[in-house]
């Protein structure tokens, strides 16, 4: 089959690789219908996170079950399924607690020795604990398929950030980061009943989506000007909840600056290239809570899926460029150059 591999920074290729095959009775093989490029993939692309030459890449996909191992009981050939960005066995203590990303048997798509999502097919370990079945009719609905793909990562990650930030009905929320996760954080905050949602971002195409998703205000300023703007919108107090969806020292400092005393920051931006920006003394003095981390999206999919299916929420606008598998290197260039927000791949 064909799949995306990374050989070096800025060297992404689509190559012939061995077809996936059942190795364990709990495996399934899924033919990919939709995949995408994540903002976190860019850290490997830019050389900011290490990858072995020839390693697979991509961790978001949905598709059709092509084969199952003898130990798989929850799925049959032909089922339409979505995969969270981490596989998990579904039976350990962490999975029982909903923290599927800490499953001792779990792993990330594209890790050494595993298939990546940006290819024609994927071997799925622990299929019963990992995959979630989708309605078969969705396979013929392009818009719905695209919306459902967001369940693989960005929608659940935005939801995780909103929960970490303590978003409640009637609260004021600020969102730091105008990428797909930040925009899904806006969508999640609206779904949880936030009354005011302040999106920080300077790119009109992205802030237009933020408004479509429920943002009531947009702050285009940065640094001290951004702090002043948020304070002005919140009677000088700051936001009850702040979603941090970037992962840099500056973005975390901004989050701390704009959160209200007694408020909470939900952080889901993958940390990269800097210290945390967290001053524990400031957090202690102002009673600020910090919660988040890698999102256990497998736990959230059953909750979010009905709202996507009935149109209550529609994350599909975050995908603003659609390409075929052979065009994946160009898709990386587009996201790296910020000419695309999130690239959809149709193998």
């Amino acid at each position: 089959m064909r799949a995306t591999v990374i050989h070096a920074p800025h060297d992404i290729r689509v190559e012939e690789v061995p077809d996936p095959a059942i190795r364990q009775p709990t495996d399934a093989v899924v033919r990919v219908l939709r995949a995408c490029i994540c903002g976190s993939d860019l850290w490997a692309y830019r050389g900011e996170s290490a990858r072995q030459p020839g390693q697979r890449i991509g961790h978001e996909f949905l598709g059709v079950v092509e084969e199952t191992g003898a130990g798989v009981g929850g799925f049959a050939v032909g089922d339409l399924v979505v995969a969270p960005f981490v596989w998990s066995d579904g039976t350990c203590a962490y999975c029982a607690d909903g923290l599927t990303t800490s499953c001792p048997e779990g792993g990330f798509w594209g890790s050494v020795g595993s298939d990546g999502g940006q290819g024609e097919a994927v071997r799925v370990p622990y299929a019963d604990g990992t995959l979630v079945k989708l309605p078969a009719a969705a396979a013929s609905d392009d818009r719905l398929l695209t919306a459902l793909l967001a369940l693989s990562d960005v929608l659940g990650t935005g939801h995780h950030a909103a929960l970490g930030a303590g978003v409640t009905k009637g609260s004021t929320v600020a969102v730091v980061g105008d990428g797909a996760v930040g925009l899904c954080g806006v969508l999640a905050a609206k779904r949880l009943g936030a009354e005011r949602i302040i999106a920080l971002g300077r790119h009109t195409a992205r802030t237009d989506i933020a408004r479509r998703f429920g943002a009531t205000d947009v702050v285009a300023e940065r640094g001290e000007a951004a702090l002043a703007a948020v304070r002005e919108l919140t009677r000088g107090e700051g936001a009850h909840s702040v979603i941090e969806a970037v992962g840099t020292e500056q973005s975390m400092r901004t989050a701390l600056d704009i959160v209200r005393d007694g408020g909470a920051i939900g952080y889901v931006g993958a940390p990269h290239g800097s210290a945390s920006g967290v001053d524990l003394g400031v957090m202690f003095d102002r009673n600020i809570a910090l919660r988040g981390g890698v999102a256990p999206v497998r736990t959230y999919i059953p909750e979010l899926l009905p709202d996507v299916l009935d149109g209550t929420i529609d994350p599909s606008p975050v995908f603003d460029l659609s390409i075929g598998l052979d065009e994946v290197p160009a898709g990386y260039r587009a996201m790296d150059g910020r000419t695309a927000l999130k690239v959809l791949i149709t193998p």
Side-chain angles (χ1 to χ4, degrees):
M1 71 168 187
R2 294 179 304 150
T4 305
V5 298
I6 182 167
H7 286 271
H10 302 281
D11 186 1
I12 293 283
R13 308 177 198 175
V14 177
E15 298 179 342
E16 293 287 333
V17 302
D19 290 341
I22 301 296
R23 298 181 189 172
Q24 300 294 332
T26 51
D27 289 352
V29 173
V30 173
R31 174 171 52 88
V32 176
L33 295 182
R34 296 289 186 278
C36 55
I37 302 173
C38 183
S40 63
D41 292 330
L42 296 180
W43 307 127
Y45 181 72
R46 294 166 178 164
E48 296 184 36
S49 59
R51 293 293 188 276
Q52 293 184 7
Q55 190 173 335
R56 308 286 180 83
I57 195 167
H59 54 262
E60 300 157 282
F61 66 95
L62 59 75
V64 175
V65 176
E66 292 272 279
E67 186 180 0
T68 61
V72 176
F75 300 94
V77 173
D79 283 344
L80 182 67
V81 294
V82 63
F85 65 84
V86 173
W87 71 78
S88 53
D89 64 16
T91 62
C92 72
Y94 288 109
C95 288
D97 288 341
L99 194 61
T100 51
T101 49
S102 290
C103 176
E105 301 298 326
F108 290 80
W109 311 112
S111 56
V112 175
S114 73
D115 292 323
Q118 295 164 15
E120 292 182 317
V122 176
R123 181 183 72 88
V124 178
Y126 301 103
D128 282 336
T130 300
L131 299 173
V132 177
K133 191 180 299 186
L134 303 173
S140 60
D141 186 331
D142 283 343
R143 185 212 58 79
L144 181 56
L145 267 187
T146 301
L148 291 168
L149 177 61
L151 290 167
S152 189
D153 184 347
V154 290
L155 182 58
T157 298
H159 179 68
H160 187 57
L163 293 180
V167 176
T168 57
K169 188 174 181 179
S171 61
T172 295
V173 182
V175 180
V176 181
D178 60 3
V181 169
L183 294 173
C184 284
V186 172
L187 198 62
K190 178 68 174 178
R191 178 179 175 274
L192 292 171
E195 181 177 334
R196 188 167 209 171
I197 303 172
I198 304 166
L200 280 70
R202 298 188 300 171
H203 301 84
T204 303
R206 300 182 179 204
T207 55
D208 285 349
I209 296 174
R211 289 189 185 278
R212 181 174 173 180
F213 282 0
T216 55
D217 304 274
V218 169
V219 170
E221 294 85 356
R222 285 191 174 185
E224 291 298 323
L227 169 60
V230 173
R231 294 283 178 180
E232 184 177 353
L233 290 168
T234 57
R235 303 180 302 278
E237 296 178 354
H240 299 102
S241 304
V242 176
I243 290 172
E244 191 284 310
V246 182
T248 64
E249 183 171 356
Q250 181 57 55
S251 63
M252 185 61 78
R253 290 189 185 280
T254 298
L256 281 169
D257 285 342
I258 64 177
V259 69
R260 185 179 186 268
D261 284 17
I265 298 169
Y267 72 103
V268 292
H272 54 274
S274 69
S276 67
V278 172
D279 186 327
L280 293 179
V282 170
M283 294 181 65
F284 181 86
D285 290 343
R286 297 177 55 208
N287 281 283
I288 296 170
L290 181 66
R291 294 187 294 268
V294 59
V297 299
R298 176 60 181 83
T299 298
Y300 300 139
I301 291 175
E303 175 185 349
L304 298 171
L305 176 58
D307 284 356
V308 176
L309 290 174
D310 67 15
T312 300
I313 52 176
D314 178 13
S316 64
V318 302
F319 299 96
D320 62 342
L321 177 62
S322 181
I323 62 173
L325 187 58
D326 289 335
E327 301 169 286
V328 166
Y332 272 84
R333 290 193 295 271
M335 283 186 62
D336 186 44
R338 294 183 69 85
T339 60
L341 168 59
K342 189 167 182 64
V343 175
L344 177 71
I345 303 166
T346 304

